[in-house]
């Protein structure tokens, strides 16, 4: 298996937005047969403290902010794996539950990007 690791998160939305338009590094990697591993989906652990429950509910009602962040990254077109570090078994289970959710639609990903780009 050959793979590429790229940072993708709610802070690093550019790769997601580009992938939705079929451009950028994610579709390019997929186009040459690489698996795409999204790294830093929680932006070094900072995102769960930065994402409020309102944004988490916009992403998918019922998820915690951390789970919403992970689901967004896992739903990005071209992402095949999400690399995470969990500090405990419950955190690992929460992360696994998040990425096991049905993927967000392209329309939902665009809505999230629009909300995050708003002043």
């Amino acid at each position: 298996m050959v793979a590429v690791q790229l940072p993708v998160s709610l802070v690093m939305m550019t790769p997601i937005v580009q992938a939705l338009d079929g451009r950028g590094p994610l579709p390019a990697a997929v186009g040459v047969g690489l698996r795409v591993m999204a790294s830093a989906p929680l932006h070094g652990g900072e995102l769960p403290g930065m994402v409020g429950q309102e944004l988490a509910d916009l992403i998918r009602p019922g998820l915690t902010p951390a789970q919403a962040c992970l689901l967004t990254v896992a739903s990005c077109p071209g992402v095949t794996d999400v690399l995470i570090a969990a500090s405990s078994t419950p955190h690992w289970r929460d992360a696994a539950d998040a990425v096991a959710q049905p993927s967000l639609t392209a329309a939902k990903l665009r809505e999230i990007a629009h909300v995050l780009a708003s002043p």
Side-chain angles (χ1 to χ4, degrees), residues 2-95:
V2 179
V4 63
Q5 178 181 330
L6 299 166
V8 181
S9 72
L10 292 179
V11 173
M12 304 287 290
M13 283 294 291
T14 300
I16 296 173
V17 172
Q18 289 174 335
L20 288 168
D21 293 333
R23 56 187 180 80
L26 300 175
V30 172
V32 296
L34 298 175
R35 291 179 61 115
V36 175
M37 297 182 174
S39 63
L42 297 178
H43 199 66
E46 294 176 23
L47 266 174
M50 296 168 51
V51 172
Q53 192 60 49
E54 185 177 355
L55 178 56
D57 288 342
L58 170 72
I59 293 168
R60 170 91 28 93
L63 296 181
T64 66
Q67 288 176 315
C69 294
L70 292 171
L71 178 59
T72 302
V73 170
S75 299
C76 179
V79 169
T80 56
D81 300 282
V82 179
L83 303 174
I84 61 164
S87 59
S88 68
T89 300
H91 288 163
W92 177 251
R93 286 189 188 120
D94 287 347

